[in-house]
Amino acid sequence: MASVTPQRVAFEAARVLVTIAGTELCWWVFGEVSRCLGTPWETRLMETRLRLLREDAYYREAGCWRVLLEEEIKEHPDVSDCLYRIVRSAAPLLD
């Protein structure tokens, strides 16, 4: 992995995850997040998807996810690499 700060990983992961959550492409990414962080995180993403489908909540969700992911990376630095791989794989789906 390139030298990327944990804060940057959290920011990019939050942006990509919340953007993907609002699309039909989300299920693959949700599964990858579940493998990386665990099932509760997949459930959180599904809740985010439901909120995005009901209301215009992108910025609120992205901000919340950035904070949650930063805290998770601080507690478990090894997840940074996994999140980085997910972001690199999923980002092209957004183009």
Side-chain angles (χ1 to χ4, degrees), residues 37 41 67-77 79:
L37 299 172
W41 289 86
V67 171
L68 289 169
L69 292 172
E70 270 189 36
E71 290 172 356
E72 186 68 13
I73 290 169
K74 282 181 189 175
E75 290 179 28
H76 307 283
V79 303

Side-chain angles (χ1 to χ4, degrees), residues 7-95:
Q7 295 82 8
R8 186 63 181 187
V9 171
F11 175 82
E12 288 299 323
R15 182 185 67 79
V16 168
L17 292 176
V18 172
T19 301
I20 289 266
T23 73
E24 292 301 317
L25 303 170
C26 65
W27 307 114
W28 170 79
V29 175
F30 287 8
E32 293 300 309
V33 169
S34 179
R35 282 186 272 291
C36 178
L37 299 172
T39 304
W41 289 86
E42 183 178 18
T43 302
R44 286 180 174 174
L45 278 170
M46 286 185 220
E47 291 166 352
T48 291
R49 177 174 170 72
L50 291 174
R51 280 190 290 276
L52 291 172
L53 293 174
R54 287 191 317 257
E55 57 189 279
D56 184 17
Y58 175 84
Y59 293 106
R60 181 179 63 221
E61 291 295 323
C64 289
W65 274 95
R66 184 192 53 78
V67 171
L68 289 169
L69 292 172
E70 270 189 36
E71 290 172 356
E72 186 68 13
I73 290 169
K74 282 181 189 175
E75 290 179 28
H76 307 283
D78 54 308
V79 303
S80 183
D81 288 341
C82 183
L83 284 171
Y84 185 75
R85 282 192 301 275
I86 292 169
V87 167
R88 285 191 49 157
S89 297
L93 300 174
L94 302 175
D95 293 335

